Amino acid sequence: QVQLVESGGGLVQAGGSLRLTCVASGSIFVISAMGWYRQAPGKRRELVALIISGGGTNYADSVKGRFTISRDNGKNTVALQMNSLKPEDTAEYYCYVGAAGRSYWGQGTQVTVSS
């Protein structure tokens, strides 16, 4: 019933930019947080950026100053603007939504940054 659909991943050269978008649909009425996680092969999934219902944000130290998270007024879409990309940013990126004490995940979108 709840679906998160990501888009915007792809291959980009170091120093380039990508914009990831996640659109949520279904029975999501009380969203506490929306954000992005990423997972590289053989590594644990890690938080990239999170935006809470009050508008506050959290970023991984490795992306501060380069990535910006945002949402639309209806709170059904979350985006991640990724600038100055580095090869170390290469990973599968997953949209996250926390609502009514539950967690929802997108299927993931691949981001590959070449050197």
Side-chain angles (χ1 to χ4, degrees):
Q1 194 66 40
V2 175
Q3 186 177 15
L4 307 180
V5 179
E6 303 116 325
S7 62
L11 175 65
V12 67
Q13 295 184 21
S17 298
L18 287 172
R19 183 177 178 86
L20 305 183
T21 301
C22 175
V23 179
S25 62
S27 301
I28 305 177
F29 301 118
V30 185
I31 297 177
S32 298
M34 299 175 287
W36 294 90
Y37 289 70
R38 68 187 181 188
Q39 186 169 25
K43 296 185 178 180
R44 180 183 176 183
R45 186 175 299 184
E46 65 174 351
L47 173 69
V48 179
L50 194 70
I51 184 165
I52 61 176
S53 60
T57 58
N58 288 316
Y59 294 93
D61 288 341
S62 60
V63 308
K64 287 181 179 177
R66 300 188 297 119
F67 292 8
T68 303
I69 190 169
S70 62
R71 66 186 183 191
D72 70 0
N73 291 333
K75 300 182 179 181
N76 66 331
T77 300
V78 60
L80 185 69
Q81 180 66 44
M82 309 165 66
N83 297 327
S84 302
L85 283 162
K86 304 175 180 179
E88 303 87 79
D89 296 317
T90 296
E92 189 84 359
Y93 284 70
Y94 297 90
C95 180
Y96 165 82
V97 172
R102 298 188 178 189
S103 298
Y104 303 92
W105 296 92
Q107 80 286 348
T109 185
Q110 179 67 36
V111 171
T112 302
V113 184
S114 65
S115 58

